[in-house]
């Protein structure tokens, strides 16, 4: 017996981060597939996983976050206009997360990190130089807060995609 496609979810309501609020949408197959692709992109990123204090670099996390813009654009472009353009659509949710969550964070921290990285001396590893930055603990703390918001976004995408936690 064929398995039913759970894409026919009616009136899915999700709670969203970054002060976006909540959204209610009907997850048709196009939106469900786009939500699944965005979910996979998000939960497989280093920046969305908890970052131990002495593990990894904030540069690696920043690059991972920045690349979400390109992958989100590609997923939405591929999904086409049927993915919706309203606030209560996968498109609207994804764009709001980029513009209200990631963009402000990256706009603030990327130039500061670049400025610090430009001061690295010869013979110093990028990780050691980064760790010596006085602002590195604050950046890691904000990365953790952002990670929690992105986790909420991932949970919303999972609901829209119809996947179980």
């Amino acid at each position: 017996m064929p398995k039913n496609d759970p894409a026919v979810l009616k009136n899915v309501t999700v709670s969203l981060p970054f002060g976006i609020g909540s959204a209610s949408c009907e997850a048709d197959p196009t939106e469900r597939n786009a939500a699944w692709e965005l979910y996979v992109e998000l939960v497989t990123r280093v920046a969305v996983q908890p970052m131990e204090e002495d593990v990894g670099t904030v540069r690696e996390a920043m690059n991972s976050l920045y690349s979400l813009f390109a992958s989100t654009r590609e997923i939405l472009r591929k999904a086409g206009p049927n993915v919706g353009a309203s606030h209560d659509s996968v498109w609207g949710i994804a764009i709001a997360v980029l513009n209200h969550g990631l963009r402000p964070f990256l706009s603030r921290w990327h130039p500061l990190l670049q400025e610090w990285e430009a001061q690295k001396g010869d013979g110093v590893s990028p990780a050691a130089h980064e760790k010596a930055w006085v602002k590195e603990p604050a950046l890691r703390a904000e990365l953790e807060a952002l990670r929690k918001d992105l986790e909420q976004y991932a949970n919303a995408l999972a609901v829209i995609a119809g996947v179980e936690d």
Side-chain angles (χ1 to χ4, degrees):
M1 186 161 137
K3 193 174 181 180
N4 286 341
D5 184 357
V8 190
L9 300 174
K10 299 293 180 191
N11 231 4
V12 174
T13 301
V14 292
S15 178
L16 300 168
F18 308 115
I20 298 167
S22 64
S24 255
C25 63
E26 289 188 26
D28 69 16
T30 302
E31 285 199 286
R32 181 176 171 260
N33 289 337
W36 170 251
E37 288 191 44
L38 290 166
Y39 172 77
V40 170
E41 279 294 323
L42 193 61
V43 299
T44 58
R45 302 250 168 209
V46 66
V48 184
Q49 302 304 316
M51 198 168 154
E52 301 291 327
E53 186 177 328
D54 293 326
V55 177
T57 63
V58 292
R59 166 51 66 205
E60 183 181 9
M62 298 281 280
N63 289 345
S64 177
L65 290 170
Y66 181 76
S67 70
L68 279 171
F69 282 87
S71 60
T72 299
R73 280 191 295 267
E74 179 59 28
I75 290 165
L76 296 177
R77 189 179 301 114
K78 186 177 84 182
N82 289 336
V83 80
S86 71
H87 166 75
D88 289 341
S89 68
V90 170
W91 182 89
I93 294 166
I95 297 303
V97 166
L98 292 180
N99 289 334
H100 300 293
L102 290 179
R103 190 177 311 280
F105 176 85
L106 291 170
S107 294
R108 174 171 186 234
W109 283 107
H110 186 76
L112 295 172
L113 181 57
Q114 275 186 315
E115 184 179 316
W116 176 252
E117 288 169 334
Q119 297 174 34
K120 185 180 87 58
D122 292 338
V124 178
S125 76
H129 181 69
E130 185 179 281
K131 200 67 181 155
W133 188 31
V134 70
K135 294 180 182 181
E136 191 261 1
L139 174 50
R140 277 187 182 260
E142 285 193 34
L143 269 169
E144 177 57 18
L146 180 69
R147 184 196 68 75
K148 288 177 181 175
D149 283 337
L150 290 174
E151 187 174 57
Q152 184 180 1
Y153 173 45
N155 291 338
L157 291 170
V159 169
I160 295 167
V163 297
E164 312 239 318
D165 266 6

